[in-house]
Amino acid sequence: MTIGNQQVTTHRLSRTDARRIAVRAQLLDGARRPDGLLEVVRRLTLLQVDPTAAVAPNADLVAWSRLGSAGYAPAELTAALADRTLLELRAMIRPGEDLALYRAEMAEWPQRGTPSSWREYHGMWVTANDSCRRDILVRLAAAGPLPSRELPDTCELPWRSSGWSNNRNVTKLLELMVQRGEVAVAGRSGGDRLWDLAERVYPDAPAVPVQEALRIRDERRLRALGIARARGPECQVEPADVGEAGEPAVVEGVRGKWRVDPAQLGQPFTGRAALLSPFDRLIHDRRRTTDLFGFDYQLEMYKPPAKRRWGYFALPILYGDRLVGKLDATADRGKGELRVDAIHQDEPFDRTVSAEVGREIEDLARWLELELVLPKQP
């Protein structure tokens, strides 16, 4: 491939190559554990916030899977959010310094930072409810941080959707005000978000111009993923594609144009066992997971119990560069137990895989400070 007068090599990768690049980029190989929570978040660029805690909240589970029970405690994340080393932005925990990469986009809302299919409605709806928006700003200035339930709904035009957010006016308005850079999540109380003026939460750093910020974000996302598609569908918050970041690649037996982080090419690979959150970025893009890993997986918490194959919140099991099964486990804090209901093996585990996966399950129980209860043998 030639760009201008420069010849650009298209890297030809096997699926094994691609998987190992992805695993290593996500800090899930066996070379070394990262040096603490901040390194994990900076390298991964984000931890997704999700309230489901059948085993543990997603952000904590992702951190534990990289750091282990000896290297991570949930109190570290709480402290980092409190001192603004890390920030919550649109349900993603990001390094505080990365806020500069989003400021210019906020200033151009709704043309930036929201899917094209929603831009017109979002802009119209916020304008129609401008008096409520200004009332929220006044109340937060006087008494913030506050939960949404302490902010009265004075919206003149109710929010319209086909899903769960229908008529949740204040919450939706606050989320759009985050996109505008006016308010921010200042913390949480019992799981509820506490809202405050953005200027009292965000670091005072100048905005990086939009095009430069988008380029940097693409580069960091590719570094975190290792290999990703150049183009993909619009996403609400975090894209799965990386634009022109990195270098072009093709993957043997997989259709489409890929981009690869050149720093990952030709690196040695040492694997290990790991238990992953269903929201882990290694598997978050289900299409990429199928293409590279051949892994059949769905989060089944929204399915009726009778239709679940693997369990309510089954954790994908990584071994080396393969996704080899699912762990159906529940943290029953009332009984003080981590109950393992099943270990689903996509292919029969040999003795080595069984031992290493078993040690990860034991470490998960240790980290949760729960007694491990394994299924009874027939």
Side-chain angles (χ1 to χ4, degrees):
M1 178 186 297
T2 301
I3 299 178
N5 295 323
Q6 184 178 4
Q7 189 71 25
V8 179
T9 299
T10 297
H11 302 281
R12 299 188 176 278
L13 306 173
S14 68
R15 289 193 188 188
T16 298
D17 294 332
R19 289 195 301 268
R20 290 181 174 183
I21 287 170
V23 170
R24 193 166 49 237
Q26 278 286 298
L27 306 177
L28 286 164
D29 63 324
R32 75 168 183 91
R33 296 279 189 170
D35 186 21
L37 175 64
L38 188 56
E39 181 185 347
V40 168
V41 183
R42 283 174 170 160
R43 284 288 303 276
L44 303 186
T45 75
L46 60 86
L47 299 176
Q48 181 175 336
V49 177
D50 189 272
T52 308
V55 175
N58 175 70
D60 290 319
L61 196 52
V62 170
W64 165 79
S65 68
R66 274 71 178 176
L67 296 166
S69 63
Y72 175 68
E76 297 174 43
L77 179 56
T78 302
L81 289 167
D83 67 17
R84 310 293 192 237
T85 303
L86 300 177
L87 294 172
E88 182 177 335
L89 176 63
R90 300 187 67 184
M92 302 290 180
I93 295 168
R94 301 185 186 272
E97 65 266 20
D98 281 9
L99 193 278
L101 300 174
Y102 294 87
R103 283 191 181 279
E105 191 175 71
M106 292 171 176
E108 295 185 16
W109 186 92
Q111 297 308 311
R112 302 278 185 182
T114 194
S116 56
S117 59
W118 279 97
R119 285 172 193 159
E120 183 178 355
Y121 180 67
H122 282 183
M124 178 277 296
W125 190 77
V126 171
T127 299
N129 293 307
D130 189 62
S131 61
C132 184
R133 181 186 68 84
R134 288 185 281 108
D135 182 55
I136 287 172
L137 292 173
V138 169
R139 289 174 182 272
L140 291 180
L146 294 172
S148 60
R149 63 177 177 274
E150 294 187 25
L151 297 168
D153 181 358
T154 60
C155 286
E156 297 180 15
L157 179 66
W159 175 256
R160 179 186 80 240
S161 86
S162 60
W164 64 272
S165 58
N166 206 51
N167 284 324
R168 298 179 72 243
N169 299 326
V170 171
T171 297
K172 193 63 191 180
L173 185 53
L174 286 164
E175 290 170 349
L176 295 178
M177 291 169 72
V178 168
Q179 295 178 38
R180 291 164 59 97
E182 295 177 315
V183 302
V185 176
R188 287 180 177 258
S189 176
D192 291 336
R193 290 174 290 186
L194 299 177
W195 303 91
D196 204 349
L197 300 180
E199 64 197 52
R200 298 202 292 225
V201 177
Y202 293 154
D204 185 16
V208 176
V210 167
Q211 292 304 320
E212 181 182 356
L214 292 174
R215 176 185 60 79
I216 293 171
R217 282 156 54 182
D218 282 346
E219 290 172 351
R220 291 189 182 178
R221 189 180 311 113
L222 179 59
R223 184 189 181 207
L225 295 173
I227 183 168
R229 295 189 184 275
R231 295 288 180 268
E234 281 190 302
C235 295
Q236 275 278 40
V237 179
E238 182 71 8
D241 57 341
V242 295
E244 298 304 309
E247 296 178 357
V250 293
V251 180
E252 181 184 3
V254 180
R255 298 176 61 185
K257 297 180 179 180
W258 297 81
R259 306 293 293 187
V260 65
D261 178 4
Q264 291 285 356
L265 295 168
Q267 297 296 315
F269 181 82
T270 303
R272 68 175 178 92
L275 306 175
L276 308 180
S277 165
F279 303 106
D280 197 289
R281 288 287 141 171
L282 182 69
I283 60 163
H284 191 269
D285 180 348
R286 301 293 195 240
R287 181 185 174 196
R288 188 184 82 143
T289 302
T290 300
D291 285 345
L292 301 186
F293 292 87
F295 187 59
D296 182 16
Y297 180 78
Q298 290 180 333
L299 178 59
E300 298 182 313
M301 58 191 286
Y302 301 111
K303 289 185 176 183
K307 294 187 176 182
R308 293 173 189 154
R309 291 179 289 172
W310 307 303
Y312 177 84
F313 196 75
L315 308 185
I317 301 172
L318 175 72
Y319 184 77
D321 64 10
R322 300 302 301 264
L323 292 160
V324 297
K326 298 94 177 171
L327 172 68
D328 180 12
T330 303
D332 188 334
R333 291 168 179 83
K335 293 183 177 180
E337 297 175 347
L338 175 64
R339 186 181 67 252
V340 173
D341 293 314
I343 301 173
H344 300 282
Q345 302 178 21
D346 285 19
E347 297 180 7
F349 293 0
D350 63 24
R351 185 174 299 177
T352 300
V353 175
S354 293
E356 293 198 29
V357 170
R359 282 193 287 271
E360 283 298 298
I361 296 172
E362 291 170 358
D363 193 68
L364 177 60
R366 187 179 308 115
W367 173 64
L368 293 170
E369 299 181 338
L370 298 175
E371 180 184 354
L372 179 60
V373 179
L374 296 171
K376 294 180 180 180
Q377 297 298 320

